Structures are given as structure tokens and as C-alpha cells.
Amino acid sequence: MKKFVVDEIKLNYSGVTRQLEVDPRTVKTAYQRALSGIVKRRTRKSRKSKLDGFRDLIKVKYQAGCSVRAIFNFICGKGFQGKYTIVKTYCRQYKEKEIKKATTHIERTIDLSPQVDWKEKVLMYNKNNVKHTFSIFSMYYHIQKENLLN
């Protein structure tokens, strides 16, 4: 809005409303404040979180391999007054770090192209008709023939 005021440009309320996807009255109020020189910024009140006294304990328990539900029940016994969702959301940051650690990037050469397959819950019966369930991981290199000929 300051740019419109400084450059003395007549504001098209409808255009700005569509562009910013806000109410036209909001645009008009902001423009009038910019004209009068009043800059009003909203400040967010800092509140104490319900997790403040429990963050270190949650981190220790999560890194020890406890589930979020078990951590929630444990800290409720210690006096936590919040809900399960707060704890679940807080623990999500640790889960995202673990996921990033688990993924690896494989650089491939010009001639070789790795192919990876994963099959879960493969069901087979032996000759005595006993059921066996297992998972299969397979990685093999596909050699590109056109690169070998050159």
C-alpha cells in the first residue's frame, strides 16, 4: 500500500482484492491507513506452551524408541495437562529427521543403471502345505547395451 501512496497511484480495490484473495474492506482500510501514515502492525502474544516443562523428557523418551502414545501416557503421569495431538505434532519433527537419515541417494554411472524392487508379504507353501510369509528385496544393475557398443 505504501508503494501506491508514494507513487500517487489510484488503487483498484477489486484488482488487489482478487490478487491477494482478501476482503475489499481489508484492502480499503490498509490503503487509508497508508494514506494517513498510520502503520499498525499486529503483534502476537507470546504464550507459555503446555509442553514447556516436558520437551527434554519427550526427546529422551522418543530417542529411546518409545511410541508417542507411550510418551503421552508417561508425561500425563508427570502432570502434563495437554492433549495427545500436541505431543504427536511435537514428536513429528524427530520422525522427519529419522526419515531423512534413512534415505540414501545412489549415483549411477553412464553404463550401469541400478534397479530396485521390494515385495512385501509374499506367501508360499512348502511341500507339507505349511504357509510361509516373507518380504523380498532385490537390487540389480541394468547394463545399457548402447553404451557398451560405443
Side-chain angles (χ1 to χ4, degrees):
M1 292 302 150
K2 283 183 180 180
K3 184 175 191 284
F4 288 110
V5 172
V6 171
D7 295 342
E8 296 179 2
I9 299 172
K10 175 75 171 131
L11 183 65
N12 179 357
Y13 294 119
S14 323
V16 175
T17 298
R18 282 190 298 274
Q19 184 180 5
L20 299 178
E21 297 179 358
V22 293
D23 190 79
R25 293 171 288 199
T26 306
V27 175
K28 185 176 182 180
T29 305
Y31 182 67
Q32 289 174 347
R33 282 189 186 149
L35 279 175
S36 64
I38 299 171
V39 178
K40 184 179 179 183
R41 295 183 185 239
R42 293 182 183 175
T43 56
R44 189 178 243 182
K45 294 180 182 178
S46 59
R47 294 185 297 171
K48 184 179 174 185
S49 173
K50 292 181 179 181
L51 288 174
D52 281 345
F54 302 96
R55 291 182 198 271
D56 295 332
L57 185 60
I58 291 171
K59 183 177 180 181
V60 169
K61 291 291 184 183
Y62 192 83
Q63 290 175 343
C66 296
S67 68
V68 178
R69 178 58 71 179
I71 294 170
F72 174 72
N73 292 337
F74 180 76
I75 62 175
C76 281
K78 299 286 185 182
F80 179 68
Q81 297 295 317
K83 301 286 182 185
Y84 171 74
T85 310
I86 299 170
V87 179
K88 182 176 71 171
T89 305
Y90 181 72
C91 288
R92 192 171 291 145
Q93 66 181 332
Y94 300 119
K95 185 176 183 178
E96 289 171 359
K97 288 178 185 176
E98 289 176 3
I99 290 171
K100 286 181 183 177
K101 285 182 193 176
T103 57
T104 56
H105 180 70
I106 300 172
E107 289 291 330
R108 64 183 192 107
T109 63
I110 296 172
D111 297 339
L112 298 175
S113 175
Q115 302 291 320
V116 178
D117 293 321
W118 177 259
K119 182 67 178 169
E120 292 184 12
K121 298 181 182 175
V122 176
L123 184 64
M124 291 186 76
Y125 295 91
N126 66 5
K127 63 182 178 181
N128 297 327
N129 209 18
V130 177
K131 181 171 74 170
H132 297 279
T133 306
F134 55 93
S135 299
I136 300 172
F137 171 78
S138 171
M139 180 173 172
Y140 60 93
Y141 286 95
H142 175 70
I143 299 174
Q144 298 173 351
K145 292 180 184 178
E146 61 270 2
N147 290 332
L148 292 176
L149 297 176
N150 294 334

